[in-house]
Amino acid sequence: MNKEKNVKKAFLWNMIGSSCYSLSSFLYLMVVTRVCGVEPAGFFSLSYATAQLLLTLGRYGMRTYQATDLRRKYLFSEYGVSRILTCGLMLIFGIIYSAFSFSGEYIVISIFIIIMKMVDAVEDVYHGNFQQTYHVEIMGKMLAARNLFSVVYFTAALILTGNLAFTCVSTAITSLVLCLVINSIFTRKYPAEVSHTSRDFLFSNVWELLKICTPLFVATFLSLLLYNIPKYAMASVMSNEYQTYYSVLFMPSFVITLMCEFVFKPTITTIAELWWLKNLRKFSLYVVRILCIIIGCGAFIIVAGHLLGRTLLEIIYGVDLSSYKLHFIVLLAGGTIGAAVYMTYNILIAIRKGNCLIVVYTITAVLTILPSKLMVQEWGVMGACLNYFYSCSLLFIQFIIILIYVVLKRRKQIAAES
C-alpha cells in the first residue's frame, strides 16, 4: 500500500488501538476497586505498577529501534528470539520479586499480573514489525482486539467468581494465547519487506541487538522507576488505602502519556527518515508540531480535569476524592510534561542518540529518589504528586536541551559538507 494513502488509516487505527491499551489499566483498577474494595485494589495497583516496571525488561527498549531499522539490518526472527530471552528474564525476576515480597495467594496474583503485562512485551515485537513495514493500521487493530478481549474477560471473570487470583491467572493465559494466534496470522499475511541482501538467521545478531539496546532498556527502566518512586515511598510510610487514592488520581496522567502515542507513534519512522535524509527543516517542524499538540491536549485535559475529572473518577471508582482537588491538577500537569518526555526520548532513540539516556535518567534518579520519602512524610499524598511532577520536569528540561544541541550540531555538519 502507498505510504501516503496509508497515513489516515494508520492514525485512525493507532488511535483506536492506543485508546484500548491506555484504558485497559484504567478499567482493571476500576473493576478491582468496585468488586474487591479499596484494600485489595491498593495491592493490585502496587503489583500492576511493579509489573509495568518489569515490562521494560521484557521490551528491552527495542521497539523504537526496531521500527526505525530502515535498512533491515536485523531479521524479524532475530528480534523475535531476543524478545523470548527478555520475556524469560522478566518472568524470572517477577517470580523472585513476588516470592520475596508477598505470601499466600498474593504471590500467585502478583506473578500472573506480571504475566499479563508480559503479553504486552510479546505483542510489542510483532507490532514493531508492522510499524517497520508501514502497516501501523494492522498494529492498531491487533492492539485493540487483544486489549478489548483481556478487559472484557477480566471483568466477567472477577464479577462471576469474586476471586482475584483465578481472574489474574486465567486472564494472563488466555491473553497470551490470543496474542500469539492473531499476531502470528497477520505477520504471515504482511511479512517484513526483504532487505537488499537475503541471509539466514544469526544468533550472533541476537546478542548484538541486546547489546545495542541495553542502554535503552536501562533508560526505560529508570524512567518507569522514577514514575513509580512516589508509590514505593508511600508504601513505606502509608497504608494500601492511600495507594488506591493515588493510583485513581494518577490514572488520567498515565493515560495522557500513553495517548500521546496517537500522534507520535505513526510518525516515528518518518521522523527517522527525515533525519537520515538530512531534511532538518521538515524534521524540526514535525517535532514542534507534535510538541504543540501534546501541550494543547494537556492544557485541555487539565481544565477538563479541574471542572469534571475528579467527580467522574469518584463516580467510576466509588471512592471519595474531595480532599484531593489540587493533587489531581498537579498530577495532570506532570502527565502532560511526561508525554513530552516520552516524545523526546523516542526521537533521540530514532536518530540513534540514545547513549545520553542513561546519564539523564541517572542524574534524575539521584535528584528524585533521595527526597521522595521525606516529601511523602512531610506532605502525604501531595508529596507523592509533587515528586512525580518534579521528576517529569527534570527529564523534559534535560531532553529538550540535548535534542536542540544535536539538531544544531547536525545542521553545522550539513552546512560544512555543502
Side-chain angles (χ1 to χ4, degrees):
M1 184 181 289
N2 182 279
K3 290 178 191 177
E4 295 299 322
K5 290 181 180 178
N6 203 30
V7 168
K8 287 184 180 179
K9 276 189 177 182
F11 270 98
L12 174 63
W13 280 107
N14 179 66
M15 182 176 71
I16 294 170
S18 296
S19 294
C20 293
Y21 178 73
S22 302
L23 292 172
S24 63
S25 303
F26 178 88
L27 293 170
Y28 286 139
L29 182 59
M30 180 193 74
V31 173
V32 175
T33 305
R34 284 287 189 179
V35 176
C36 301
V38 174
E39 278 287 328
F43 165 76
F44 180 88
S45 171
L46 186 61
S47 297
Y48 198 87
T50 302
Q52 192 76 37
L53 185 62
L54 286 170
L55 177 60
T56 61
L57 176 57
R59 286 177 169 170
Y60 215 73
M62 204 173 288
R63 169 60 175 277
T64 301
Y65 190 93
Q66 180 185 2
T68 55
D69 183 9
L70 303 178
R71 297 178 182 178
R72 310 291 189 268
K73 183 178 179 182
Y74 301 102
L75 302 177
F76 173 62
S77 56
E78 291 164 351
Y79 284 108
V81 171
S82 69
R83 191 56 52 91
I84 292 171
L85 295 174
T86 57
C87 284
L89 287 172
M90 177 184 175
L91 184 56
I92 289 168
F93 279 103
I95 291 170
I96 293 171
Y97 163 79
S98 301
F100 279 92
S101 301
F102 308 113
S103 61
E105 69 171 5
Y106 279 174
I107 296 176
V108 176
I109 295 171
S110 177
I111 289 172
F112 279 90
I113 288 174
I114 289 164
I115 295 174
M116 283 169 61
K117 294 309 295 179
M118 190 186 75
V119 175
D120 292 347
V122 174
E123 190 173 58
D124 186 71
V125 74
Y126 289 103
H127 293 178
N129 182 58
F130 294 136
Q131 190 172 359
Q132 187 186 39
T133 55
Y134 296 93
H135 285 298
V136 176
E137 76 285 357
I138 303 300
M139 175 193 78
K141 290 175 183 178
M142 297 300 97
L143 194 62
R146 207 272 303 167
N147 278 281
L148 280 173
F149 168 83
S150 297
V151 168
V152 171
Y153 182 91
F154 183 92
T155 303
L158 190 58
I159 290 173
L160 289 173
T161 67
N163 188 315
L164 186 57
F166 170 81
T167 300
C168 291
V169 170
S170 58
T171 301
I173 294 170
T174 53
S175 295
L176 180 59
V177 171
L178 180 65
C179 164
L180 291 171
V181 170
I182 63 174
N183 282 287
S184 296
I185 291 171
F186 276 86
T187 298
R188 285 194 295 270
K189 189 175 180 181
Y190 298 95
E193 295 173 12
V194 180
S195 60
H196 62 280
T197 55
S198 58
R199 61 173 178 80
D200 295 328
F201 170 90
L202 295 174
F203 209 91
S204 60
N205 277 359
V206 173
W207 294 116
E208 190 175 292
L209 258 179
L210 292 172
K211 183 179 177 182
I212 290 169
C213 292
T214 294
L216 309 183
F217 152 64
V218 173
T220 309
F221 180 86
L222 288 172
S223 169
L224 261 293
L225 178 63
L226 287 174
Y227 292 157
N228 285 322
I229 283 302
K231 282 177 155 295
Y232 295 124
M234 288 174 65
S236 66
V237 296
M238 303 174 81
S239 66
N240 278 341
E241 177 185 356
Y242 292 99
Q243 288 283 352
T244 302
Y245 293 137
Y246 179 82
S247 296
V248 170
L249 292 165
F250 181 76
M251 194 60 67
S253 305
F254 179 63
V255 170
I256 291 172
T257 304
L258 291 175
M259 290 180 71
C260 80
E261 295 181 6
F262 290 177
V263 178
F264 181 69
K265 193 181 283 183
T267 64
I268 186 62
T269 308
T270 303
I271 286 172
E273 271 188 322
L274 292 171
W275 179 262
W276 298 118
L277 291 172
K278 301 179 181 179
N279 191 340
L280 288 188
R281 183 178 176 277
K282 212 167 183 179
F283 172 89
S284 300
L285 283 173
Y286 259 94
V287 174
V288 171
R289 191 181 304 154
I290 294 169
L291 188 58
C292 288
I293 291 171
I294 290 172
I295 293 170
C297 290
F300 173 79
I301 291 170
I302 290 170
V303 173
H306 174 69
L307 297 174
L308 296 171
R310 189 172 48 83
T311 304
L312 288 175
L313 289 175
E314 288 180 332
I315 294 169
I316 292 169
Y317 286 98
V319 293
D320 181 14
L321 301 174
S322 57
S323 303
Y324 300 105
K325 192 171 185 178
L326 184 58
H327 305 63
F328 189 45
I329 301 302
V330 171
L331 286 174
L332 289 176
T336 302
I337 299 170
V341 169
Y342 176 83
M343 181 201 75
T344 50
Y345 165 89
N346 279 280
I347 288 172
L348 289 170
I349 295 174
I351 62 178
R352 303 301 185 251
K353 301 295 179 183
N355 291 335
C356 66
L357 298 177
I358 293 179
V359 176
V360 171
Y361 279 111
T362 301
I363 291 170
T364 309
V366 171
L367 295 175
T368 304
I369 293 172
L370 289 176
S372 61
K373 190 172 181 179
L374 290 173
M375 292 173 77
V376 171
Q377 286 175 331
E378 184 69 26
W379 298 302
V381 178
M382 176 57 87
C385 298
L386 289 171
N387 190 266
Y388 170 68
F389 180 86
Y390 171 58
S391 65
C392 290
S393 300
L394 283 176
L395 288 172
F396 179 70
I397 290 167
Q398 292 173 87
F399 279 150
I400 205 69
I401 290 171
I402 292 169
L403 186 58
I404 291 170
Y405 171 76
V406 296
V407 169
L408 292 176
K409 186 177 178 181
R410 179 81 162 174
R411 185 171 292 166
K412 283 184 180 179
Q413 289 174 345
I414 294 170
E417 290 170 4
S418 58

